[in-house]
Amino acid sequence: MENLLIEELKIKIDHEQDTNELFGNLDINLKIIQENYEVDIVQRQDELILRGKEAAKAQQVLLNLISILESGEKLDAQKVNYVISLLEKGISYQDSKVNKDTICFTHRGKPIKPKTLGQTVYAKSMKEHDIVFGVGPAGTGKTYMAVAMAINAFKNKEVEKIILARPAVEAGERLGFLPGDLQEKVDPYLRPLYDALYDILGRDSTLRLKERETIEVVPLAYMRGRTLDNSFIILDEAQNTTKEQMKMFLTRLGFGSKAIVTGDTTQIDLPRGKRSGLLDAIDVLKNVEGIDFCFLKDTDVVRHPLVRRIINAYDVYSKENPEKNPEKDYEG
């Protein structure tokens, strides 16, 4: 009786199809599919044979992967996992319009595009709104995509200046006395922003623009008292702002400017009892016209596959032990 539940399906492989790309290095792509579904995959000449209770699901994944390759995109393990997660929600990779619009190009000519459905929505929101909050776990590309959008706006002469700010809050450590001048003391806090700039613009171009003050990378405290016209402003690690700092930052916005606020509500490093300015802003500003909130999920993580599992493990633990996680978490 159990055998009646087992399906056998076949997929014809075009002779021009590069099976090495489809299968992945050491057949890693096929192994990922087999780890997610009850199915065996065997190649026989010009076709793939799928046998198992979930052969139909595996077939849909493979057809999506073949379509991705035919469109000229590359496959990797992260993309295979993402295709599977989309199909579980009843969405095909092609219908999601992921990876269709290029935000900008790196100094090496590599196109920067949204890699997930959440990133696609986030990029669209940044184009259409003057203030956008990008909220989500580590590895979802919140900061990197915002920097890419800023560089694109600058190159298209939509803004005259890029300003990147971050609260200088230690993540549970005590760094103690740091040698050097004031800029050298705060640079360690701003390193992730420099990394994004160097990757997209190149180190030399970034330093030249920084010398001309076309690009500013500053601690949030330096923003007080300024009015910023014709600027693309990014506040990173916003979960570590206080309510007062968040209000101060948002009211710096001048004419012709755009502000992007990024943060992860699960990684707040403020002293116990101090409410995060990001959580406060979500409550206060959620109905203000012209401000948009984009909540990215674990499915939008574009780092090592283990990062997504780590995020899920912490999320499950927090929900099962709410008394150990007093801060309210926002998932959109």
Side-chain angles (χ1 to χ4, degrees):
M1 190 71 178
E2 189 176 335
N3 289 334
L4 296 176
L5 299 174
I6 296 177
E7 294 181 277
E8 181 171 298
L9 299 174
K10 297 179 181 179
I11 297 177
K12 199 82 171 175
I13 299 178
D14 192 300
H15 70 279
E16 294 181 358
Q17 178 72 60
D18 186 347
T19 54
N20 289 330
E21 277 197 86
L22 177 62
F23 297 168
N25 186 36
L26 300 176
D27 294 345
I28 183 63
N29 296 344
L30 299 185
K31 289 174 183 175
I32 291 171
I33 296 171
Q34 290 174 315
E35 286 171 1
N36 281 272
Y37 302 114
E38 289 187 50
V39 65
D40 290 321
I41 305 174
V42 179
Q43 181 184 12
R44 288 184 185 163
Q45 296 179 343
D46 61 346
E47 63 183 13
L48 288 176
I49 299 174
L50 316 177
R51 276 191 98 247
K53 296 178 182 179
E54 296 181 295
K57 290 182 177 181
Q59 183 187 48
Q60 286 302 307
V61 175
L62 282 162
L63 290 174
N64 267 257
L65 299 186
I66 291 170
S67 180
I68 288 170
L69 288 173
E70 288 175 346
S71 71
E73 289 185 45
K74 299 293 184 182
L75 280 182
D76 54 29
Q78 187 273 331
K79 189 169 290 184
V80 175
N81 278 307
Y82 188 61
V83 167
I84 291 171
S85 69
L86 281 181
L87 287 171
E88 289 299 307
K89 298 176 183 177
I91 305 170
S92 76
Y93 183 84
Q94 283 69 31
D95 292 342
S96 71
K97 297 182 180 178
V98 171
N99 221 319
K100 297 295 187 292
D101 296 324
T102 299
I103 297 173
C104 67
F105 292 86
T106 70
H107 68 291
R108 300 181 187 277
K110 178 184 175 183
I112 298 175
K113 302 179 181 182
K115 294 182 178 180
T116 69
L117 186 56
Q119 287 189 357
T120 302
V121 172
Y122 181 39
K124 185 173 185 289
S125 178
M126 287 190 283
K127 290 178 182 177
E128 297 176 353
H129 297 86
D130 286 337
I131 296 180
V132 175
F133 285 76
V135 184
T140 49
K142 304 180 299 293
T143 302
Y144 190 86
M145 288 194 63
V147 172
M149 291 293 292
I151 291 169
N152 182 63
F154 174 72
K155 287 183 174 180
N156 290 335
K157 302 188 184 305
E158 296 168 17
V159 296
E160 297 172 358
K161 179 176 282 194
I162 296 172
I163 300 173
L164 311 176
R166 214 172 189 232
V169 175
E170 297 165 353
E173 299 98 356
R174 287 283 175 262
L175 298 182
F177 174 78
L178 292 171
D181 61 23
L182 195 57
Q183 189 64 48
E184 290 171 327
K185 290 178 190 293
V186 298
D187 270 357
Y189 296 104
L190 306 172
R191 179 53 53 188
L193 296 172
Y194 282 117
D195 289 343
L197 287 169
Y198 291 162
D199 188 58
I200 299 172
L201 284 176
R203 184 182 179 88
D204 291 343
S205 294
T206 299
L207 293 177
R208 278 197 301 272
L209 291 170
K210 192 167 178 288
E211 283 176 7
R212 300 206 302 257
E213 296 188 348
T214 302
I215 292 179
E216 288 186 49
V217 186
V218 297
L220 177 60
Y222 289 14
M223 302 286 284
R224 191 173 297 279
R226 301 180 66 180
T227 300
L228 304 170
D229 293 326
N230 303 312
S231 301
F232 198 112
I233 316 152
I234 299 171
L235 173 59
D236 192 34
E237 296 290 329
Q239 75 275 6
N240 289 328
T241 61
T242 63
K243 294 189 291 183
E244 296 78 14
Q245 286 175 324
M246 179 62 76
K247 182 179 178 182
M248 179 274 290
F249 171 79
L250 293 173
T251 53
R252 300 308 92 203
L253 196 70
F255 292 106
S257 291
K258 188 183 290 280
I260 311 299
V261 178
T262 69
D264 178 355
T265 58
T266 68
Q267 296 195 35
I268 297 172
D269 301 314
L270 292 172
R272 185 174 293 276
K274 198 81 170 175
R275 180 159 170 79
S276 166
L278 178 58
L279 295 179
D280 190 65
I282 294 171
D283 286 338
V284 174
L285 304 174
K286 58 187 176 185
N287 295 319
V288 175
E289 186 178 353
I291 297 177
D292 195 29
F293 291 86
C294 294
F295 294 92
L296 292 101
K297 309 291 185 182
D298 64 284
T299 50
D300 297 305
V301 171
V302 290
R303 290 182 184 167
H304 193 287
L306 271 175
V307 173
R308 181 179 170 186
R309 295 176 208 161
I310 291 167
I311 291 167
N312 281 332
Y314 273 100
D315 187 45
V316 169
Y317 182 82
S318 296
K319 289 175 179 176
E320 291 177 350
N321 302 273
E323 73 285 354
K324 296 182 180 180
N325 187 36
E327 277 285 15
K328 183 179 179 184
D329 184 22
Y330 283 80
E331 297 181 348

